[in-house]
Amino acid sequence: MRRLCSIHFGYEIAMSSVKPVPMPNECGVKIVQVRVSNFRSLENIEVDLDDLTLLIGANNSGKTSFLDALHAAIGVGRRVLMKEDIHLKNHEKDVPKSRRSVIDLRVQPCRDDTRELLDSFPRGSFWTHLWGDMITQDDQIHEFIGIRTVIEWDDTRTEYRMKRKFLKKWNLFSEWLDTDTSEIAASSQHLEPIALYYMNAQRDIDADLRASGSFWRRLVNDLGLSEELVTEFETILTDVNARIVKNSPILNHLHQHLVDIDPVDTSQQNIGITSVARHLRDLAQGIDIHFATVDAPFFPLAKHGMGTRSLASILVFRAYAKWMGSQSEKNSNKVHMLLALEEPEAHLHPQAQRALFGHIKRMPGQRIISTHSPYFAGQAQLEDFRLFQKLGGQSKVSKLDVSVLEDKKYRRKLEQQIIQTRGDILFCRALILFEGETEELSMPVFAKAYWGQGIHELGFNFVKVGGGDYAPFIWLAMNLKIKWYIFSDGEERTINSLDNTLKKLDQRESHDNDHVFVLPNGNNIEKYFVANGYVKEIEEALYQEKKLSVDDYMKEHEGQQRRKSIIRNYKEEGRDAAVLDIINENKTDLAIPVATAITETENLTRRVPEKIAELFEKISIDFGIPKVGGGP
C-alpha cells in the first residue's frame, strides 16, 4: 500500500499571499547577460537578465530555445544534445559537424537585500573561495565571472559533448566569440551554486510525486527526523504491518500461495507481505497531496485538473528554493536560486494567472519566464520584457530602453494605459492604430473581407487610441520591433496633432510616412463612407438594424437642433446629411452592420473602401499576406 501519508491544504491557503523571506545583507550573485551562438534558431543573440525577466514573442520565435540553451550551460540534470540542437541555416540540408554551439554567461556580485550590483566580490566570501583566480575585471573595473559552454561534435564518441571553461574577459558583443578562455575547466562544483532549475510547460505535480529528481522528491527524501524518531516510527510501522497481515484473510490466502514461488527447493523459503512501508525512506516516496476548494471534499491532486497540478508544481519549487536557501545559510554556504519557467500560465484562468505571477515575483533568486499571458505582462515592469522575433529563420531579441522615459507621467501612461490594460499588444505582429469607435468596430470586418482571416488569426491588434494620443503606442511598438500603422481622420487639427507626435518620435510627418494613412478632404470615416457612395449600403444596414428609413428620420428631425445648436435643414443639406446624423448618433450600434453591408455589396472592387484597402495592401506587402477578398 502506497501513499498512506498525505498533505492537506485548502484553496485559500494555496493561493494566499506569502511574504518574502528576508535575505541577509551579504554578497549574492546575479547572471546579468547571456550570449548564444548556433543553438537552434539562435544564431547570434545577447540577452540581458535581471531578477525577473519575461520572454515574450510569438510561438517558434526562440524563447524555448533560449531556455534550453541556458539549461544546457548550467542546468540541473544531464541533457542529451543532438544535431537538432545545433543551428541549421536556411540553405543547408544537414548540420556540418564542424559547427559548434557557444553559450556565454556573465555573473556579477550583488547585495542580497537590495539586489543592486556591486563592483567587486567581498574578499574571503563564499564566491571568492569558489571561483578564486577565475574572477576577472571588465574595462570599468567591475569584477565578474564569465563561463563559456561549448557544444561540439566528438568523432571518438560519435556524439555531441559539452566543455565548460572560464572566460578571461568580456568582449564587445560584435567580437564575443573571439574571447579567450582559461585552461581551467568550469567543473560541476564551480557551477552547482548557480545551477538553473528548468520547469517546462509539461510540469505536473502528479508526475513530480513519482520522479526521483523532482523538487518534491528532493525535499521529502530526507524528512529531517532524528535517528531516535526514525527508529521509533519504523518499529510502529513494522507492528502495524504485522497486525494487518495477520488479521487479513486475503493477505493470508495470498501468502499460502506465494510460498511456492520456487517449486524446486522449498526447504529454505521465507516470504512475507508488506502492506505498509516499514522504512521511513520508503514511506516518504508514497507521500501524496490532497486538495479541496471551499466546502468541497479533499481529493488527490492527480484527480484535479492540469491547472491545479501545474500550479502546485510551481509552489513546490518555491518551497524547495526557500528551504535550500535556509539550509545553505546554516551551513555557511551560498546558493543562487535560478528558475526558468516555460508558460507558467498554462491551464490557468485569468485570475489564477494574476495570483500565480504574484507568487513568482516573491520567489527568491532570479526567475526567467517565457509567457504569452497578458495578465503576467500587466503586472510586470517595462524593464522586465525581452521580445523574441523570428526574422529570416533567425531569432532576434530586443529590450525596451526605458532610460529615455525621463518624464514620469509618460512612463506611467505607458504602464497604465497599455501594459496593464492592453497587455496583449506585447504579443502582436502588427499594431494598427486609429482614434474612433467606428474604426474600432468596422476595421476587423473589412480585414476579414480583405484577407479571408480574422485579425487575431493574423496576429494583428487593431487599437482605438482615445484622444489621438498615439505616442506611447508608437514608442512601445518601435522599441519592441513591432510594425505599426496609423489610420487617421483628415481634420486639420487631428493631422497637426499627429504630426507633432511623429516629430517627437523622430518619425516622418503624415504626408511623407508610409505607415500613416489619412482620409482625404478632411473627412472622418463616417463622412468618407458617405462621400464615396456607400449611402445605399448604410441605408440597408439602418433598416436591418433599426427598422428605420432615412425618409422617416428626415421627416421626424427636420428643424431640430444638432450639437452646437445647429438647426437641421435637410431640404437644403440633402439626404447625405441625414445619413451622417444617423450614423453619428448610433456609432456603436451601426458600425458593424454598415461595414458588413459594404463588404457584401455587389461590386467586388468596392467591398473594402479604397483608403482602407491602401492600408491593408501595405500590411500585405510587409508581411507577405495575399489578398483573397474584395477591394480595389
Side-chain angles (χ1 to χ4, degrees):
M1 296 175 65
R2 298 183 68 247
R3 301 194 176 187
L4 294 182
C5 179
S6 299
I7 295 177
H8 293 257
F9 57 93
Y11 184 81
E12 308 97 321
I13 298 174
M15 299 298 290
S16 65
S17 298
V18 177
K19 295 181 179 180
V21 176
M23 302 298 287
N25 187 17
E26 297 178 0
C27 171
V29 293
K30 185 185 296 187
I31 298 175
V32 297
Q33 211 162 51
V34 180
R35 292 167 171 174
V36 183
S37 169
N38 289 330
F39 190 91
R40 300 184 193 164
S41 64
L42 311 178
E43 185 173 23
N44 189 32
I45 66 164
E46 179 180 68
V47 182
D48 293 337
L49 299 181
D50 211 322
D51 284 330
L52 180 66
T53 305
L54 266 65
L55 313 182
I56 60 175
N59 289 328
N60 300 314
S61 59
K63 303 186 300 296
T64 299
S65 292
F66 175 74
L67 295 180
D68 283 340
L70 196 55
H71 186 246
I74 56 168
V76 173
R78 184 178 183 274
R79 276 205 68 219
V80 177
L81 294 161
M82 300 177 289
K83 69 178 181 180
E84 287 77 14
D85 292 310
I86 308 300
H87 179 67
L88 180 69
K89 298 183 183 297
N90 288 339
H91 65 277
E92 294 176 332
K93 294 182 179 180
D94 201 1
V95 177
K97 289 184 178 178
S98 60
R99 182 170 299 152
R100 62 180 195 166
S101 176
V102 182
I103 305 156
D104 282 2
L105 281 73
R106 178 184 173 111
V107 185
Q108 290 186 226
C110 68
R111 290 175 60 92
D112 267 332
D113 49 359
T114 64
R115 303 293 296 167
E116 295 178 52
L117 293 179
L118 301 173
D119 291 334
S120 61
F121 292 91
R123 300 306 109 186
S125 70
F126 170 83
W127 305 107
T128 56
H129 283 296
L130 178 68
W131 292 320
D133 293 339
M134 295 303 101
I135 296 175
T136 187
Q137 292 181 336
D138 60 19
D139 294 338
Q140 288 77 41
I141 319 181
H142 296 146
E143 289 188 346
F144 72 95
I145 275 290
I147 301 168
R148 168 162 293 183
T149 301
V150 176
I151 304 168
E152 59 187 359
W153 179 255
D154 186 338
D155 281 321
T156 59
R157 301 181 183 179
T158 63
E159 64 180 1
Y160 281 92
R161 65 173 182 174
M162 288 189 293
K163 295 180 180 178
R164 298 183 180 92
K165 291 187 176 181
F166 291 101
L167 295 172
K168 290 184 177 181
K169 56 189 299 190
W170 192 261
N171 282 354
L172 296 174
F173 180 60
S174 58
E175 51 192 39
W176 73 278
L177 288 170
D178 298 326
T179 307
D180 292 332
T181 59
S182 70
E183 295 301 319
I184 300 177
S187 67
S188 58
Q189 288 78 13
H190 290 128
L191 302 180
E192 186 176 358
I194 60 168
L196 172 76
Y197 295 88
Y198 182 20
M199 302 182 72
N200 63 27
Q202 283 75 47
R203 62 193 162 271
D204 182 352
I205 189 63
D206 187 50
D208 292 346
L209 294 174
R210 299 173 177 83
S212 59
S214 69
F215 302 122
W216 173 266
R217 291 289 289 274
R218 290 168 188 265
L219 276 173
V220 303
N221 276 343
D222 182 358
L223 298 178
L225 300 173
S226 66
E227 291 186 10
E228 291 79 8
L229 283 175
V230 170
T231 301
E232 178 183 344
F233 290 147
E234 288 185 348
T235 301
I236 294 172
L237 289 172
T238 300
D239 181 59
V240 168
N241 181 74
R243 293 175 62 187
I244 291 174
V245 173
K246 178 180 179 181
N247 291 281
S248 169
I250 297 296
L251 295 180
N252 273 286
H253 176 74
L254 284 170
H255 184 272
Q256 293 171 12
H257 285 267
L258 287 171
V259 293
D260 295 328
I261 198 169
D262 187 347
V264 178
D265 181 9
T266 60
S267 60
Q268 300 297 323
Q269 289 184 25
N270 185 14
I271 191 166
I273 295 178
T274 301
S275 60
V276 178
R278 289 180 294 176
H279 298 287
L280 284 183
R281 63 176 181 271
D282 299 324
L283 187 66
Q285 295 178 12
I287 295 177
D288 202 351
I289 303 176
H290 284 62
F291 172 84
T293 54
V294 179
D295 298 327
F298 282 94
F299 286 100
L301 270 182
K303 303 298 182 182
H304 286 270
M306 278 303 303
T308 300
R309 286 149 57 182
S310 174
L311 174 61
S313 186
I314 295 171
L315 295 179
V316 166
F317 173 80
R318 185 183 66 185
Y320 175 80
K322 291 187 176 182
W323 179 259
M324 289 296 293
S326 64
Q327 295 304 301
S328 295
E329 289 177 26
K330 288 181 181 179
N331 298 324
S332 299
N333 291 328
K334 298 289 291 184
V335 61
H336 174 60
M337 298 309 301
L338 178 62
L339 172 67
L341 270 172
E342 183 183 20
E343 299 181 25
E345 73 274 8
H347 311 293
L348 295 177
H349 65 80
Q351 294 301 327
Q353 290 183 35
R354 292 188 177 98
L356 173 58
F357 191 70
H359 288 298
I360 292 173
K361 286 198 296 185
R362 290 188 289 269
M363 287 182 180
Q366 282 185 270
R367 293 127 294 159
I368 308 166
I369 304 168
S370 165
T371 181
H372 295 125
S373 171
Y375 307 104
F376 273 31
Q379 299 180 77
Q381 300 296 311
L382 293 172
E383 297 90 340
D384 298 337
F385 298 113
R386 305 293 181 271
L387 175 67
F388 280 69
Q389 291 180 301
K390 183 72 74 67
L391 302 173
Q394 299 178 23
S395 294
K396 304 294 182 183
V397 185
S398 54
K399 174 186 176 182
L400 290 174
D401 181 11
V402 296
S403 63
V404 301
L405 300 178
E406 297 177 357
D407 186 346
K408 292 183 179 179
K409 292 182 179 179
Y410 191 69
R411 177 180 177 128
R412 187 161 55 248
K413 185 178 292 186
L414 265 169
E415 293 177 336
Q416 295 178 355
Q417 294 186 9
I418 301 180
I419 305 299
Q420 294 178 12
T421 60
R422 299 178 183 269
D424 57 322
I425 287 175
L426 298 168
F427 306 94
C428 71
R429 297 172 67 202
L431 190 59
I432 296 90
L433 307 170
F434 34 74
E435 189 174 347
E437 291 176 323
T438 302
E439 292 93 330
E440 182 179 32
L441 296 170
S442 64
M443 292 289 270
V445 178
F446 291 123
K448 183 70 176 290
Y450 190 88
W451 287 305
Q453 300 180 69
I455 59 174
H456 300 300
E457 296 173 81
L458 294 165
F460 299 160
N461 271 42
F462 283 48
V463 178
K464 173 190 170 186
V465 179
D469 189 5
Y470 296 108
F473 293 90
I474 297 174
W475 183 90
L476 187 66
M478 287 168 51
N479 281 270
L480 288 178
K481 306 297 188 296
I482 298 172
K483 291 186 181 297
W484 58 272
Y485 308 86
I486 293 176
F487 188 82
S488 174
D489 292 346
E491 291 100 331
E492 183 178 355
R493 184 175 62 179
T494 299
I495 298 304
N496 289 337
S497 175
L498 173 59
D499 285 340
N500 287 333
T501 296
L502 293 170
K503 287 179 183 177
K504 291 178 181 178
L505 296 169
D506 295 325
Q507 299 294 303
R508 296 191 304 274
E509 293 185 3
S510 57
H511 69 276
D512 188 35
N513 194 319
D514 60 359
H515 290 270
V516 180
F517 296 80
V518 179
L519 290 169
N521 305 318
N523 287 328
N524 59 24
I525 195 166
E526 293 84 8
K527 291 180 181 178
Y528 178 75
F529 288 159
V530 173
N532 280 266
Y534 289 107
V535 171
K536 176 185 175 182
E537 289 77 10
I538 295 172
E539 290 196 41
E540 289 176 358
L542 174 62
Y543 187 78
Q544 292 293 328
E545 190 69 20
K546 297 283 189 179
K547 303 301 180 187
L548 176 66
S549 72
V550 176
D551 291 327
D552 291 340
Y553 181 88
M554 291 172 67
K555 291 177 183 179
E556 183 180 347
H557 292 83
E558 176 70 24
Q560 294 185 7
Q561 285 187 354
R562 295 190 186 96
R563 293 178 181 177
K564 300 181 180 180
S565 302
I566 298 174
I567 302 298
R568 304 173 198 238
N569 185 355
Y570 293 133
K571 293 179 181 179
E572 292 185 6
E573 295 169 342
R575 191 179 190 84
D576 288 358
V579 170
L580 276 174
D581 286 342
I582 295 171
I583 296 177
N584 287 328
E585 292 168 6
N586 299 273
K587 288 185 178 183
T588 55
D589 292 335
L590 291 179
I592 293 177
V594 167
T596 302
I598 292 174
T599 61
E600 295 173 352
T601 192
E602 294 181 2
N603 188 336
L604 182 64
T605 63
R606 286 178 50 79
R607 288 184 176 177
V608 177
E610 183 176 358
K611 202 66 185 180
I612 298 175
E614 288 181 20
L615 166 66
F616 292 168
E617 182 182 11
K618 168 62 176 170
I619 297 173
S620 290
I621 293 171
D622 288 349
F623 287 92
I625 305 171
K627 165 192 166 185
V628 299

